[in-house]
Short mmCIF file of all heavy atoms in Angstrom, two decimals:
data_model
loop_
_atom_site.label_atom_id
_atom_site.label_comp_id
_atom_site.label_asym_id
_atom_site.label_seq_id
_atom_site.Cartn_x
_atom_site.Cartn_y
_atom_site.Cartn_z
N LYS A 54 42.69 -25.26 -72.31
CA LYS A 54 42.56 -25.15 -73.76
C LYS A 54 43.21 -26.33 -74.48
O LYS A 54 42.66 -26.87 -75.45
CB LYS A 54 43.19 -23.84 -74.23
CG LYS A 54 43.05 -23.56 -75.71
CD LYS A 54 43.67 -22.21 -76.04
CE LYS A 54 43.56 -21.93 -77.53
NZ LYS A 54 44.16 -20.63 -77.89
N LYS A 55 44.35 -26.75 -73.99
CA LYS A 55 45.04 -27.88 -74.60
C LYS A 55 44.23 -29.16 -74.47
O LYS A 55 44.08 -29.93 -75.43
CB LYS A 55 46.41 -28.03 -73.95
CG LYS A 55 47.24 -29.18 -74.52
CD LYS A 55 48.60 -29.26 -73.83
CE LYS A 55 49.42 -30.41 -74.37
NZ LYS A 55 50.74 -30.51 -73.69
N ALA A 56 43.69 -29.40 -73.28
CA ALA A 56 42.87 -30.59 -73.08
C ALA A 56 41.60 -30.55 -73.92
O ALA A 56 41.18 -31.56 -74.50
CB ALA A 56 42.51 -30.73 -71.60
N TYR A 57 41.01 -29.38 -74.03
CA TYR A 57 39.79 -29.25 -74.82
C TYR A 57 40.03 -29.56 -76.30
O TYR A 57 39.27 -30.30 -76.94
CB TYR A 57 39.22 -27.84 -74.66
CG TYR A 57 38.24 -27.47 -75.73
CD1 TYR A 57 36.99 -28.08 -75.79
CD2 TYR A 57 38.56 -26.53 -76.71
CE1 TYR A 57 36.09 -27.76 -76.78
CE2 TYR A 57 37.68 -26.21 -77.69
CZ TYR A 57 36.44 -26.82 -77.73
OH TYR A 57 35.54 -26.51 -78.72
N LYS A 58 41.06 -28.98 -76.87
CA LYS A 58 41.33 -29.21 -78.29
C LYS A 58 41.64 -30.67 -78.59
O LYS A 58 41.22 -31.21 -79.62
CB LYS A 58 42.49 -28.31 -78.75
CG LYS A 58 42.12 -26.84 -78.80
CD LYS A 58 43.15 -26.01 -79.55
CE LYS A 58 44.48 -26.00 -78.88
NZ LYS A 58 45.45 -25.14 -79.59
N HIS A 59 42.34 -31.30 -77.67
CA HIS A 59 42.66 -32.72 -77.86
C HIS A 59 41.39 -33.56 -77.85
O HIS A 59 41.19 -34.44 -78.71
CB HIS A 59 43.62 -33.16 -76.75
CG HIS A 59 43.94 -34.63 -76.80
ND1 HIS A 59 44.80 -35.16 -77.74
CD2 HIS A 59 43.51 -35.68 -76.04
CE1 HIS A 59 44.89 -36.48 -77.55
NE2 HIS A 59 44.11 -36.81 -76.53
N LEU A 60 40.50 -33.30 -76.90
CA LEU A 60 39.26 -34.08 -76.81
C LEU A 60 38.29 -33.73 -77.93
O LEU A 60 37.56 -34.60 -78.43
CB LEU A 60 38.60 -33.83 -75.45
CG LEU A 60 39.40 -34.30 -74.23
CD1 LEU A 60 38.68 -33.90 -72.95
CD2 LEU A 60 39.61 -35.80 -74.27
N ALA A 61 38.25 -32.45 -78.33
CA ALA A 61 37.31 -32.04 -79.38
C ALA A 61 37.65 -32.68 -80.71
O ALA A 61 36.75 -33.10 -81.46
CB ALA A 61 37.33 -30.51 -79.51
N ARG A 62 38.94 -32.80 -81.00
CA ARG A 62 39.32 -33.47 -82.25
C ARG A 62 38.96 -34.95 -82.22
O ARG A 62 38.56 -35.53 -83.22
CB ARG A 62 40.83 -33.29 -82.48
CG ARG A 62 41.21 -31.93 -83.05
CD ARG A 62 42.69 -31.84 -83.32
NE ARG A 62 43.46 -31.84 -82.08
CZ ARG A 62 44.78 -31.70 -82.02
NH1 ARG A 62 45.45 -31.58 -83.14
NH2 ARG A 62 45.40 -31.69 -80.87
N GLU A 63 39.10 -35.55 -81.05
CA GLU A 63 38.87 -36.98 -80.96
C GLU A 63 37.38 -37.33 -81.01
O GLU A 63 36.98 -38.32 -81.61
CB GLU A 63 39.48 -37.51 -79.65
CG GLU A 63 39.35 -39.01 -79.47
CD GLU A 63 40.22 -39.78 -80.45
OE1 GLU A 63 41.21 -39.18 -80.96
OE2 GLU A 63 39.94 -40.95 -80.70
N TRP A 64 36.54 -36.49 -80.39
CA TRP A 64 35.13 -36.82 -80.24
C TRP A 64 34.22 -36.03 -81.17
O TRP A 64 33.00 -35.98 -80.95
CB TRP A 64 34.69 -36.58 -78.79
CG TRP A 64 35.21 -37.63 -77.87
CD1 TRP A 64 36.34 -37.57 -77.12
CD2 TRP A 64 34.63 -38.92 -77.62
NE1 TRP A 64 36.52 -38.74 -76.41
CE2 TRP A 64 35.46 -39.58 -76.70
CE3 TRP A 64 33.50 -39.57 -78.09
CZ2 TRP A 64 35.19 -40.86 -76.25
CZ3 TRP A 64 33.22 -40.83 -77.63
CH2 TRP A 64 34.06 -41.48 -76.72
N HIS A 65 34.78 -35.38 -82.18
CA HIS A 65 33.91 -34.65 -83.11
C HIS A 65 33.00 -35.65 -83.84
O HIS A 65 33.46 -36.68 -84.35
CB HIS A 65 34.76 -33.88 -84.13
CG HIS A 65 33.97 -32.85 -84.87
ND1 HIS A 65 33.15 -33.15 -85.92
CD2 HIS A 65 33.88 -31.50 -84.69
CE1 HIS A 65 32.58 -32.06 -86.36
NE2 HIS A 65 33.00 -31.04 -85.64
N PRO A 66 31.68 -35.39 -83.91
CA PRO A 66 30.75 -36.36 -84.51
C PRO A 66 31.05 -36.70 -85.95
O PRO A 66 30.69 -37.78 -86.42
CB PRO A 66 29.39 -35.65 -84.38
CG PRO A 66 29.56 -34.67 -83.28
CD PRO A 66 30.98 -34.23 -83.33
N ASP A 67 31.72 -35.79 -86.68
CA ASP A 67 32.04 -36.08 -88.07
C ASP A 67 33.20 -37.07 -88.21
O ASP A 67 33.37 -37.68 -89.27
CB ASP A 67 32.40 -34.79 -88.81
CG ASP A 67 31.19 -33.88 -88.94
OD1 ASP A 67 30.07 -34.39 -88.80
OD2 ASP A 67 31.39 -32.67 -89.16
N LYS A 68 34.00 -37.22 -87.14
CA LYS A 68 35.16 -38.11 -87.19
C LYS A 68 34.94 -39.38 -86.37
O LYS A 68 35.42 -40.44 -86.74
CB LYS A 68 36.40 -37.37 -86.69
CG LYS A 68 36.84 -36.23 -87.58
CD LYS A 68 38.13 -35.61 -87.06
CE LYS A 68 38.63 -34.51 -87.97
NZ LYS A 68 39.89 -33.91 -87.48
N ASN A 69 34.26 -39.26 -85.27
CA ASN A 69 34.06 -40.39 -84.37
C ASN A 69 32.66 -40.96 -84.59
O ASN A 69 31.66 -40.26 -84.41
CB ASN A 69 34.22 -39.93 -82.91
CG ASN A 69 34.40 -41.10 -81.97
OD1 ASN A 69 33.77 -42.14 -82.13
ND2 ASN A 69 35.27 -40.91 -80.98
N LYS A 70 32.58 -42.20 -85.00
CA LYS A 70 31.29 -42.85 -85.31
C LYS A 70 30.69 -43.55 -84.09
O LYS A 70 29.68 -44.26 -84.23
CB LYS A 70 31.48 -43.86 -86.44
CG LYS A 70 32.04 -43.25 -87.72
CD LYS A 70 31.19 -42.07 -88.21
CE LYS A 70 31.76 -41.47 -89.48
NZ LYS A 70 30.98 -40.32 -89.94
N ASP A 71 31.28 -43.36 -82.94
CA ASP A 71 30.72 -43.96 -81.73
C ASP A 71 29.33 -43.39 -81.45
O ASP A 71 29.11 -42.19 -81.62
CB ASP A 71 31.66 -43.66 -80.55
CG ASP A 71 31.26 -44.47 -79.31
OD1 ASP A 71 30.34 -44.02 -78.61
OD2 ASP A 71 31.87 -45.52 -79.07
N PRO A 72 28.34 -44.21 -81.04
CA PRO A 72 26.98 -43.69 -80.78
C PRO A 72 26.95 -42.60 -79.72
O PRO A 72 26.10 -41.72 -79.77
CB PRO A 72 26.20 -44.94 -80.34
CG PRO A 72 26.97 -46.09 -80.92
CD PRO A 72 28.42 -45.68 -80.91
N GLY A 73 27.85 -42.66 -78.77
CA GLY A 73 27.86 -41.65 -77.73
C GLY A 73 28.78 -40.49 -78.01
O GLY A 73 29.04 -39.66 -77.13
N ALA A 74 29.30 -40.38 -79.25
CA ALA A 74 30.26 -39.32 -79.57
C ALA A 74 29.61 -37.94 -79.50
O ALA A 74 30.20 -36.98 -79.01
CB ALA A 74 30.86 -39.56 -80.96
N GLU A 75 28.37 -37.85 -79.99
CA GLU A 75 27.71 -36.54 -80.01
C GLU A 75 27.45 -36.04 -78.60
O GLU A 75 27.69 -34.87 -78.28
CB GLU A 75 26.41 -36.63 -80.79
CG GLU A 75 25.68 -35.29 -80.92
CD GLU A 75 24.48 -35.38 -81.83
OE1 GLU A 75 24.45 -36.27 -82.71
OE2 GLU A 75 23.55 -34.58 -81.65
N ASP A 76 26.98 -36.92 -77.70
CA ASP A 76 26.73 -36.51 -76.32
C ASP A 76 28.02 -36.11 -75.63
O ASP A 76 28.07 -35.13 -74.86
CB ASP A 76 26.04 -37.64 -75.55
CG ASP A 76 24.64 -37.91 -76.07
OD1 ASP A 76 24.05 -36.98 -76.65
OD2 ASP A 76 24.15 -39.05 -75.90
N MET A 77 29.08 -36.89 -75.88
CA MET A 77 30.35 -36.55 -75.26
C MET A 77 30.90 -35.24 -75.79
O MET A 77 31.47 -34.43 -75.06
CB MET A 77 31.36 -37.69 -75.51
CG MET A 77 32.69 -37.46 -74.81
SD MET A 77 32.48 -37.23 -73.03
CE MET A 77 34.10 -36.68 -72.56
N PHE A 78 30.69 -35.02 -77.10
CA PHE A 78 31.16 -33.77 -77.71
C PHE A 78 30.43 -32.58 -77.10
O PHE A 78 31.01 -31.51 -76.89
CB PHE A 78 30.95 -33.82 -79.22
CG PHE A 78 31.61 -32.70 -79.94
CD1 PHE A 78 32.97 -32.69 -80.14
CD2 PHE A 78 30.87 -31.63 -80.44
CE1 PHE A 78 33.59 -31.66 -80.80
CE2 PHE A 78 31.48 -30.61 -81.11
CZ PHE A 78 32.85 -30.62 -81.29
N ILE A 79 29.13 -32.75 -76.80
CA ILE A 79 28.37 -31.68 -76.15
C ILE A 79 28.94 -31.39 -74.77
O ILE A 79 29.12 -30.23 -74.37
CB ILE A 79 26.88 -32.09 -76.05
CG1 ILE A 79 26.26 -32.19 -77.44
CG2 ILE A 79 26.10 -31.10 -75.20
CD1 ILE A 79 24.86 -32.76 -77.44
N LYS A 80 29.23 -32.43 -74.02
CA LYS A 80 29.80 -32.25 -72.68
C LYS A 80 31.15 -31.54 -72.74
O LYS A 80 31.45 -30.66 -71.94
CB LYS A 80 29.95 -33.60 -71.99
CG LYS A 80 28.65 -34.18 -71.46
CD LYS A 80 28.94 -35.40 -70.59
CE LYS A 80 27.66 -35.93 -69.96
NZ LYS A 80 27.91 -37.06 -69.05
N ILE A 81 31.97 -31.96 -73.69
CA ILE A 81 33.30 -31.35 -73.82
C ILE A 81 33.17 -29.86 -74.15
O ILE A 81 33.84 -29.00 -73.55
CB ILE A 81 34.12 -32.08 -74.89
CG1 ILE A 81 34.42 -33.51 -74.44
CG2 ILE A 81 35.42 -31.35 -75.18
CD1 ILE A 81 35.03 -34.38 -75.52
N SER A 82 32.30 -29.52 -75.11
CA SER A 82 32.13 -28.13 -75.51
C SER A 82 31.57 -27.29 -74.37
O SER A 82 32.00 -26.16 -74.13
CB SER A 82 31.20 -28.05 -76.73
OG SER A 82 31.72 -28.78 -77.81
N LYS A 83 30.58 -27.85 -73.66
CA LYS A 83 29.99 -27.12 -72.55
C LYS A 83 30.99 -26.93 -71.42
O LYS A 83 31.05 -25.87 -70.78
CB LYS A 83 28.76 -27.87 -72.04
CG LYS A 83 27.94 -27.07 -71.05
CD LYS A 83 27.35 -25.83 -71.68
CE LYS A 83 26.52 -25.04 -70.69
NZ LYS A 83 25.95 -23.84 -71.31
N SER A 84 31.81 -27.92 -71.17
CA SER A 84 32.81 -27.82 -70.11
C SER A 84 33.82 -26.73 -70.43
O SER A 84 34.20 -25.93 -69.55
CB SER A 84 33.52 -29.17 -69.93
OG SER A 84 32.59 -30.19 -69.61
N TYR A 85 34.26 -26.69 -71.68
CA TYR A 85 35.21 -25.65 -72.05
C TYR A 85 34.58 -24.27 -71.98
O TYR A 85 35.23 -23.28 -71.63
CB TYR A 85 35.76 -25.93 -73.44
CG TYR A 85 36.78 -24.91 -73.88
CD1 TYR A 85 38.05 -24.88 -73.32
CD2 TYR A 85 36.47 -23.96 -74.85
CE1 TYR A 85 38.99 -23.94 -73.70
CE2 TYR A 85 37.39 -23.02 -75.24
CZ TYR A 85 38.66 -23.02 -74.67
OH TYR A 85 39.56 -22.08 -75.04
N GLU A 86 33.30 -24.18 -72.34
CA GLU A 86 32.60 -22.89 -72.28
C GLU A 86 32.57 -22.36 -70.85
O GLU A 86 32.71 -21.16 -70.62
CB GLU A 86 31.18 -23.04 -72.81
CG GLU A 86 30.38 -21.75 -72.79
CD GLU A 86 28.96 -21.95 -73.24
OE1 GLU A 86 28.61 -23.09 -73.61
OE2 GLU A 86 28.18 -20.99 -73.22
N ILE A 87 32.41 -23.26 -69.88
CA ILE A 87 32.37 -22.84 -68.47
C ILE A 87 33.76 -22.48 -67.97
O ILE A 87 33.98 -21.41 -67.39
CB ILE A 87 31.75 -23.95 -67.61
CG1 ILE A 87 30.29 -24.18 -68.01
CG2 ILE A 87 31.83 -23.59 -66.13
CD1 ILE A 87 29.67 -25.37 -67.34
N LEU A 88 34.73 -23.35 -68.21
CA LEU A 88 36.05 -23.16 -67.62
C LEU A 88 36.87 -22.09 -68.33
O LEU A 88 37.80 -21.54 -67.74
CB LEU A 88 36.81 -24.49 -67.62
CG LEU A 88 36.16 -25.63 -66.81
CD1 LEU A 88 37.05 -26.85 -66.81
CD2 LEU A 88 35.86 -25.19 -65.38
N SER A 89 36.58 -21.80 -69.59
CA SER A 89 37.33 -20.76 -70.30
C SER A 89 36.88 -19.37 -69.91
O SER A 89 37.58 -18.39 -70.17
CB SER A 89 37.19 -20.94 -71.81
OG SER A 89 35.82 -20.81 -72.19
N ASN A 90 35.72 -19.25 -69.29
CA ASN A 90 35.21 -17.96 -68.82
C ASN A 90 35.43 -17.88 -67.32
O ASN A 90 34.89 -18.69 -66.55
CB ASN A 90 33.72 -17.83 -69.17
CG ASN A 90 33.18 -16.45 -68.86
OD1 ASN A 90 33.14 -16.03 -67.71
ND2 ASN A 90 32.77 -15.75 -69.90
#
Side-chain angles (χ1 to χ4, degrees):
K54 183 178 179 180
K55 180 179 179 181
Y57 162 69
K58 290 193 296 183
H59 176 75
L60 296 176
R62 280 183 292 184
E63 183 69 22
W64 286 96
H65 195 280
D67 293 341
K68 294 184 177 181
N69 196 322
K70 302 305 180 182
D71 190 278
E75 183 174 335
D76 293 335
M77 184 56 191
F78 190 75
I79 294 173
K80 284 189 175 183
I81 294 171
S82 301
K83 190 64 179 180
S84 301
Y85 182 72
E86 181 183 357
I87 296 172
L88 299 184
S89 62
N90 187 295

